[in-house]
Amino acid sequence: MLETSARLLRLLSLLQSRRDWTGPELADRLDVTARTVRRDVERLRALGYPVHAAPGTAGGYRLGAGAALPPLLLDDEEAVAVALCLRTGAGGTVEGIEETSVRALTKLEQVLPSRLRHRVQSMQAVTVQSRRPGPTVNQQVLTVLGAACRDREKLRFDYLDHGGAASHRTVEPYRLVHHGRRWYLLAHDTDRDDWRTFRVDRIEPKSPTGPRFTPRELPEDAAAYVAKGVTSRAYRYQAVIVLHTSAESLAQYDWSGFGTVTPVDGLSCELRTGFESLDALAMYVGMLGVDFEIREPPELADHLRTVAARLTRAAGTAG
């Protein structure tokens, strides 16, 4: 009986970790026969877990949604991660989750073993969360987008760009990325046949979602792609500047939302950034306090000469 109960818990954990499993995959993971897997699935159903099965070679098992939320199985690291995320939820960028986070955390901490509760409390005691103003996203929108990414279902939504222009989009959603206090959706726009980055707080999803799609290969790491898009492509002036210092020496700066830095060698690195005005761009690179070379845009060089002359005149009047 104990062996069967332990196996049921292991089976439930596997079903919660991935959307679809085949019978042979589960049997291999549990080191049992396919017949035993079928019997264990029936036991889970009797306990109220909605395990769906599809026949045939392409079939398998999937843990579905039921009328009530069944217990979730978390290992030690998962439990600590969830608790820490809930503790910081009140100061996050997702709208309307403050009270919900507190309720969920209270339930979780009641059942945490003392060793895990101590780890969570220790981390929280030395963690200070910065509260900076910024746009928040609706938690329901975030959930819809996350589910579409997970299930590989096409998504339709209305979108407002940074200039306020509205458009209707149909996309293949791939990743949600949190960057610079904002949430972004990385997706392949089917109408434009290209990859696009969308701010989640400007998305209004349409229901229902579309058919499932065959995933494409991502252009690069999702976080890096979004960082490049939101720090340069969306702005009037897109700059590429070589800084005569190592990337490590610039680690003191928070590049989130302002640019991306890529090492060239041990003595130089490349900065990619974007601004709406040349004045703002000139001020930004000037504040870094290192020598640099301008690769793009060419008009920045002329503007820097104008700024340099202005600063020289101002220095001549000092005292």
Side-chain angles (χ1 to χ4, degrees), residues 86 96-105 139:
L86 289 172
I97 67 168
E98 295 87 350
E99 182 182 350
T100 308
S101 297
V102 172
R103 292 203 312 268
L105 180 61
Q139 58 177 312

Side-chain angles (χ1 to χ4, degrees), residues 218-235:
L218 289 169
E220 58 180 298
D221 175 75
Y225 186 87
V226 169
K228 290 179 182 178
V230 302
T231 57
S232 61
R233 299 189 190 105
Y235 296 94

Side-chain angles (χ1 to χ4, degrees), residues 47-208:
L47 293 172
Y49 293 94
V51 182
H52 304 306
T57 56
Y61 297 97
R62 174 186 301 178
L63 185 62
L69 179 68
L72 298 175
L73 294 180
L74 301 174
D75 61 28
D76 286 4
E77 299 304 321
E78 291 170 342
V80 171
V82 170
L84 290 175
C85 289
L86 289 172
R87 279 187 175 272
T88 57
T93 56
V94 182
E95 181 182 284
I97 67 168
E98 295 87 350
E99 182 182 350
T100 308
S101 297
V102 172
R103 292 203 312 268
L105 180 61
T106 300
K107 294 178 180 179
L108 180 60
E109 288 192 333
Q110 284 178 344
V111 297
L112 279 179
S114 59
R115 69 181 189 281
L116 299 185
R117 190 181 304 112
H118 176 71
R119 286 174 59 183
V120 173
Q121 292 173 346
S122 298
M123 286 293 296
Q124 186 63 23
V126 298
T127 302
V128 178
Q129 187 171 6
S130 174
R131 292 180 175 270
R132 292 181 290 178
T136 58
V137 301
N138 183 284
Q139 58 177 312
Q140 185 174 1
V141 171
L142 204 62
T143 301
V144 169
L145 300 187
C149 292
R150 178 199 63 196
D151 299 339
R152 298 173 181 173
E153 294 177 343
K154 287 187 177 181
L155 194 64
R156 299 176 298 113
F157 56 84
D158 292 331
Y159 187 70
L160 291 176
D161 65 18
H162 67 281
S167 61
H168 180 76
R169 304 298 184 99
T170 301
V171 304
E172 298 173 354
Y174 280 79
R175 297 288 188 275
L176 283 170
V177 178
H178 190 235
H179 176 83
R181 300 287 293 179
R182 291 188 174 96
W183 285 93
Y184 297 90
L185 172 68
L186 173 60
H188 190 272
D189 193 315
T190 57
D191 294 329
R192 294 158 180 80
D193 193 24
D194 197 8
W195 293 94
R196 290 289 189 271
T197 299
F198 303 95
R199 269 181 49 174
V200 174
D201 57 300
R202 296 173 177 167
I203 290 177
E204 185 179 340
K206 299 300 180 184
S207 181

